[in-house]
Amino acid sequence: EGDVANIYSNTYRHSSHTCKLNFYYSMSGADMGSLDVYLVTDASDDSKRVENLKWHQNGDAGADWIKATIDIGEHKDFQLKISATVGKDHRSDIAIDFVIHILHFYVF
């Protein structure tokens, strides 16, 4: 219960205001946990990383694959973090697939 799996993207130098993240997810089972996407940036004083929640889903969503599209927007020097937290029961499954950063990342 409560175990967490995190996936981090590479660090992107700059993105445009139209930047998006698309992926498919499946969350099925009793006592389902949660799936979150964060935008990770440096604090203004570079002392630590700041994680801003961009998307959240919890509970049983059925066994089908569901498409998520998240507006990322314009940022500098950032990563994306996908975080899955296990629920209370071993009878729950969280899966992600076909993760795509959509358009207009500027890599310098």
Side-chain angles (χ1 to χ4, degrees):
E1 176 181 348
D3 289 339
V4 178
N6 295 314
I7 299 172
Y8 289 88
S9 71
N10 294 330
T11 298
Y12 295 97
R13 304 270 309 229
H14 191 259
S15 66
S16 78
H17 68 281
T18 60
C19 181
K20 298 182 185 307
L21 174 69
N22 281 351
F23 64 94
Y24 287 84
Y25 68 94
S26 177
M27 297 174 67
S28 177
D31 296 315
M32 178 52 59
S34 62
L35 186 60
D36 300 300
V37 176
Y38 296 89
L39 178 77
V40 183
T41 58
D42 287 328
S44 58
D45 62 1
D46 290 331
S47 63
K48 63 179 181 173
R49 304 287 280 167
V50 176
E51 295 184 355
N52 294 303
L53 183 65
K54 298 293 284 183
W55 183 86
H56 172 80
Q57 179 69 40
N58 67 332
D60 184 3
D64 293 334
W65 289 98
I66 302 167
K67 184 179 182 180
T69 299
I70 303 163
D71 290 325
I72 301 301
E74 187 170 359
H75 297 281
K76 292 183 180 178
D77 298 322
F78 69 97
Q79 287 180 290
L80 298 172
K81 173 185 166 184
I82 300 174
S83 182
T85 303
V86 177
K88 298 177 183 178
D89 195 299
H90 70 279
R91 295 174 294 162
S92 58
D93 295 309
I94 300 175
I96 59 171
D97 198 5
F98 203 59
V99 178
I100 301 175
H101 301 136
I102 298 293
L103 301 179
H104 308 293
F105 279 111
Y106 298 119
V107 180
F108 297 25

